[in-house]
Amino acid sequence: MTTTETTTAVTAERADLLESLAKHRWFLAHTVQGLTDEQARLRPTVSELTLGGLLKHVTGTERTWAEFMVTGPTVFPAFDESTAEEWAAEFVMGPDETLAGLLAEQAAVAQRTDELVRTLPSLDATHPLPEAPWFEPGARWSARRVVLHVIAEIAQHAGHADVLRETIDGQKSMG
């Protein structure tokens, strides 16, 4: 499936999806604003979650689902013990990674996803989901369903990030 900006109008539905993506990405980015790299690596709760790790995970998840909209389930590696370790590593902000770098990567991935939302010939196009314990066997997702999933993923983790940030220094995303 290819995209072309000249043939696909940004409908009200697509505009709503883009607005929702932007809003929840803003909350996540705002939550880490003003932190040092060291603060972004802190684990201020009993959870393994860190702010940098959440940002890295959300970016990787969005990148994979955006590619799924174009290429289908081959973008997902087969699930086994090694991929479980890779998945867990996606939640860790490495010692050579910076918050600025993670935010720049998130912005690049967001730009790609937004381009797809604007230009995919149809949000109704579907691909089968890969085989994994958390997907219903034989299920297919439309591009629309994928975008809704990405919005939910970003929103959920922005909420996690808000709790972590408030625990680190009292800063709140809202209120």
Side-chain angles (χ1 to χ4, degrees):
M1 186 179 322
T2 60
T3 61
T4 171
E5 289 198 47
T6 59
T7 61
T8 306
V10 177
T11 62
E13 176 188 22
R14 291 174 191 250
D16 286 347
L17 293 171
L18 290 166
E19 183 181 338
S20 292
L21 283 164
K23 177 176 81 170
H24 294 294
R25 288 182 192 127
W26 181 87
F27 280 122
L28 183 58
H30 178 73
T31 301
V32 300
Q33 184 177 26
L35 290 177
T36 65
D37 293 339
E38 293 73 28
Q39 287 173 310
R41 287 187 187 89
L42 288 176
R43 289 181 35 215
T45 67
V46 296
S47 167
E48 293 287 325
L49 297 177
T50 70
L51 289 166
L54 280 174
L55 182 60
K56 183 177 173 180
H57 166 71
V58 166
T59 300
T61 298
E62 182 173 342
R63 177 187 303 108
T64 300
W65 281 110
E67 187 60 26
F68 172 86
M69 289 191 289
V70 176
T71 63
T74 57
V75 70
F76 290 96
F79 182 76
D80 60 25
E81 289 300 316
S82 67
T83 54
E85 291 175 19
E86 289 174 28
W87 181 78
E90 190 178 81
F91 280 93
V92 177
M93 181 178 170
D96 296 333
E97 293 176 306
T98 65
L99 191 52
L102 293 175
L103 286 166
E105 182 67 17
Q106 190 273 339
V109 168
Q111 183 177 11
R112 169 69 173 141
T113 302
D114 289 354
E115 174 192 343
L116 288 171
V117 171
R118 283 190 303 275
T119 63
L120 281 172
S122 174
L123 295 177
D124 294 325
T126 67
H127 291 292
L129 292 176
E131 290 185 30
W134 46 85
F135 293 133
E136 178 183 340
R140 297 180 68 87
W141 277 11
S142 67
R144 176 184 298 99
R145 176 67 184 93
V146 169
V147 174
L148 292 170
H149 177 72
V150 169
I151 292 167
E153 180 85 10
I154 297 167
Q156 176 183 13
H157 290 311
H160 293 145
D162 196 39
V163 170
L164 294 177
R165 177 65 187 258
E166 190 172 353
T167 304
I168 290 171
D169 66 2
Q171 173 85 17
K172 297 178 187 176
S173 293
M174 294 184 66

